[in-house]
Amino acid sequence: MRTIVKNSLVFILIMTLMTGSCALSAGAVEPDELGEYRIDVTEEEIASYGFTRAVQYALNEARDSASADQPHVVYVPEGNYNLDYVLRVYSNTTLDLHGVTLKRYGAGAGNMLRVGSEDGINTGVTGYAYENVRIFGGTFDGNFGENTMIKAFHTKNFTMDDVTLINEEEGHMTEFAGVDGLTIRGCTFKDQYLTPGNYGYEAIQIDVLHPFHITNGRCEDLPVSNVLIEGCYFENMPRAIGSHTAVHNRPHDKITIRNNQFVDMSSIAIQGLNWTNVDISRNYIENAPRGITMYSDPGGCTYLSSKLAQNGGTQSHVTDSYQTPPKSNINIYENILINIGSSDDRYASYSSQGIAVLGEKLTSRSPVDSGDESGGLPAGDYYIDGASIHDNFIDIRGNGVRLEDTRNAKVTDNEIICSKNTVHNDNYYGIVVRGNASASSVSYNSIVNAEVNGIQLDGTNGGKVNNVRFNRIVGTGKYGIGIYDMSLDKIEDNDIMNTKNIGLFLSNSKAGGIKWNRIRNCSAAGVWITSDSPSTPVIQSNTTVNCGNGNDPEVPSVKNSYDYDSDIKAKNYYSGKALDTFYIPWDTTGKVGAEMGVGAMFHIVPDVRPTNALASFTFTSSNEDVAAVDAYGMVYGVGEGQTTITVKSNNGISKSYTVTVEGDGGVKHLTSAPDAPVLIRGDADGNGAVESIDVAVIQRRLAYIDVPVDDVTLMRGNVNGDEQLDIIDVTAIQRYLANQSNPYDIGARI
């Protein structure tokens, strides 16, 4: 332990603390009996010098004594204190504030805590100069002041654990720029107020080192990277986590936001600008105009590196020219969004959306903002490459999921429950892909009561979607799936019902195949392909029941567009059958269970047989304290243990799925472990022998007639190994059955 000197040097102490330095030296701090390099601020010192000065002296002593090998901990006694001047913390220092409440107070109150010294725009430290700073515990009461409460910049490894921040007005609660290694765990952020027209939206602001945004810090093009924000609670604020600034060609990187709770946002819960390698998972968001949005490089206050370097007299690390966007690797999954879009954004006219990933194309150089010097980006396509949005529950009054100007995106296994937006007019969809967006898959989603179309795919300005499969769409205001000016590969196995217009609509769009879709109870046609669409090579085994029956007086009775072609019509169904069997989950048949962590989620979409079976399903759990399942097949890991998820069809066929919940990991789907099946080359129906029935099965598939086996089994009939079933395979099997020579290993185990 040590005691601050208390004598005639008090005046000198006060003056040096005000300048952030200290001419006094208490000597090296020795480790205590536990080996901790500990500095205690005593109640006597606080009484003698005032709280702010007593604590700052301890922090200065740590600054002078601590090292990476000998980090120091400053302990503050429990109590409620007024903070009349900013506290500054330096490298290799932990400030322990457990049981302490700090209230911003007085004319000198600005920031409550900052890392490092007061620098100028072009003077002071560069790079990640301060290291290993930690704040443990404590409550920061901003007392509705107008400055950011906690700031860190030019820092490597900054940690906040179990800290509470309350009562901020017209400013951020925390702000970070040029930080490598930002960890915020178990913290509470509550009651942040912002007048429209001001800029302090975020409770946790990921920022850039420019004087308009970071005062008294040297200008430099350092991004924020290696971020972990988990287990935090946010309530009553504009934006909880995010950024509205970035550096061109130098994204904020490696950002993980998980297991947080957001309640009553007036703008958005999470907003990223130019982020790469992003993991946003298992967050709970309730009551917000928007949930989660990722923007690309130029979608706001983006700075050229050279401008920052010029201002700061620092080094520029990247070019100002247009560069092909890097892989963004954005993963947004297992989040629960409740009551999104029930209020309008107070700060800008944003359309309501649950989850959005939005790139941007500049056709000319962007203008430079005269106020903050951002802009000046060259023309180019700033798309977002690589985004996966899966296994989220979204209760939305707006767009459930929205993609614009993306590449290699996936939207899979989400459950989207829509209600009418009454505060912001727009055309709202369950899932919308538009504005030069490309996606490999929009599949296995459940979409209920979308205002306009369940799925909207619009390639008017470019874009492509490969697969639209196994989506379950109910009760849309217009189309189940609406496709415009788009090129697709597969539109398969979608279940669409109760739309107020057409079930599946294609306008000026090309599809590789439209197969096995089940469409029922639509006011207009089940499937309608406009005359300006290129011909679809395969339209088969689609089922349309009770469509075009004129139930809606505003929509005339219309047949399917292919009903006028007798050859195509003959390959499709106009009545449903009773379910024979189904498989869970997805389109594989060997899955019998799952292991998942607490908080994990996965979606079950039954794969029905025959393909024209018009079935409905119920989902139950034998122990909802372990894992719960909702009406549309989303399974939630609740607590450790084991339960059985049962899926039952309306005609009594059921299958069970054993789920074990343990730890906090992800989802692993398990297969049974029987003896390895005997796989025979040429055995297209999977009964263990090569027979004439195998020839018939392949011929039925070649004729676009449905067959009662899955594609994996059927492909055993591909005896020549070219990955296609064709007449060569049929001929080879026929020669084998006639005991004639053939060049393939038919009948052998594979």
Side-chain angles (χ1 to χ4, degrees), residues 368-404:
V368 176
D369 190 294
S370 59
D372 69 357
E373 301 183 298
S374 65
L377 275 64
D381 193 350
Y382 295 87
Y383 55 81
I384 294 178
D385 187 359
S388 178
I389 302 170
H390 67 90
D391 293 291
N392 299 283
F393 176 87
I394 304 171
D395 165 24
I396 183 68
R397 291 128 189 86
N399 297 313
V401 175
R402 174 182 165 196
L403 299 182
E404 292 186 8

Side-chain angles (χ1 to χ4, degrees), residues 9-313:
L9 297 180
V10 168
F11 177 74
I12 298 174
L13 170 62
I14 293 173
M15 293 305 295
T16 55
L17 286 173
M18 293 293 287
T19 61
S21 61
C22 185
L24 301 177
S25 174
V29 179
E30 298 295 329
D32 63 13
E33 60 274 10
L34 299 177
E36 182 178 82
Y37 290 84
R38 175 179 180 131
I39 302 174
D40 285 272
V41 179
T42 68
E43 293 181 358
E44 181 184 9
E45 293 161 355
I46 293 172
S48 297
Y49 305 117
F51 176 81
T52 305
R53 291 163 178 79
V55 175
Q56 187 61 61
Y57 180 70
L59 293 172
N60 288 353
E61 186 175 350
R63 175 197 63 193
D64 297 336
S65 302
S67 66
D69 294 332
Q70 297 180 353
H72 287 27
V73 183
V74 174
Y75 286 90
V76 178
E78 294 184 5
N80 300 326
Y81 305 100
N82 289 335
L83 186 66
D84 54 9
Y85 198 76
V86 62
L87 294 174
R88 297 185 179 278
V89 60
Y90 300 90
S91 294
N92 305 306
T93 299
T94 296
L95 178 59
D96 192 310
L97 296 172
H98 282 100
V100 174
T101 295
L102 308 179
K103 187 173 184 178
R104 183 161 49 188
Y105 181 80
N111 304 137
M112 299 181 73
L113 184 142
R114 289 174 66 134
V115 174
S117 300
E118 195 96 350
D119 293 335
I121 296 172
N122 56 9
T123 60
V125 301
T126 62
Y128 302 109
Y130 303 103
E131 298 183 343
N132 307 323
V133 177
R134 301 186 299 174
I135 313 299
F136 285 177
T139 296
F140 289 77
D141 182 348
N143 196 22
F144 304 105
E146 295 188 2
N147 291 284
T148 298
M149 296 160 75
I150 296 177
K151 280 191 174 185
F153 41 89
H154 288 295
T155 304
K156 186 176 181 64
N157 298 331
F158 178 90
T159 299
M160 286 173 50
D161 271 314
D162 192 28
V163 178
T164 296
L165 297 96
I166 58 175
N167 301 332
E168 174 65 50
E169 188 169 3
E170 313 299 5
H172 304 292
M173 287 186 151
T174 62
E175 194 167 8
F176 305 96
V179 177
D180 179 11
L182 172 62
T183 301
I184 302 175
R185 288 180 298 220
C187 296
T188 297
F189 301 80
K190 189 174 180 181
D191 296 334
Q192 175 190 358
Y193 299 94
L194 181 71
T195 302
N198 288 344
Y199 298 99
Y201 303 103
E202 292 82 1
I204 299 176
Q205 160 76 342
I206 296 175
D207 218 330
V208 299
L209 288 162
H210 183 276
F212 187 85
H213 301 281
I214 299 291
T215 56
N216 306 117
R218 191 166 184 176
C219 201
E220 194 172 3
D221 69 354
L222 292 180
V224 177
S225 58
N226 295 300
V227 177
L228 172 62
I229 303 171
E230 69 173 343
C232 296
Y233 178 82
F234 302 84
E235 182 180 349
N236 187 29
M237 58 196 52
R239 301 177 186 168
I241 302 171
S243 52
H244 52 259
T245 58
V247 180
H248 177 51
N249 288 330
R250 204 161 196 218
H252 302 302
D253 188 42
K254 298 184 178 66
I255 298 174
T256 298
I257 301 170
R258 66 190 181 202
N259 295 314
N260 302 287
Q261 187 172 356
F262 306 83
V263 178
D264 295 338
M265 303 293 109
S266 53
S267 178
I268 191 170
I270 302 170
Q271 174 175 294
L273 174 63
N274 197 19
W275 291 5
T276 55
N277 297 305
V278 179
D279 186 300
I280 300 175
S281 61
R282 302 187 191 176
N283 299 287
Y284 178 87
I285 303 171
E286 182 177 1
N287 297 336
R290 298 176 293 144
I292 301 168
T293 297
M294 296 290 108
Y295 293 102
S296 65
D297 199 341
C301 302
T302 304
Y303 287 84
L304 296 177
S305 173
S306 64
K307 172 60 70 175
L308 298 174
Q310 178 185 351
N311 286 345

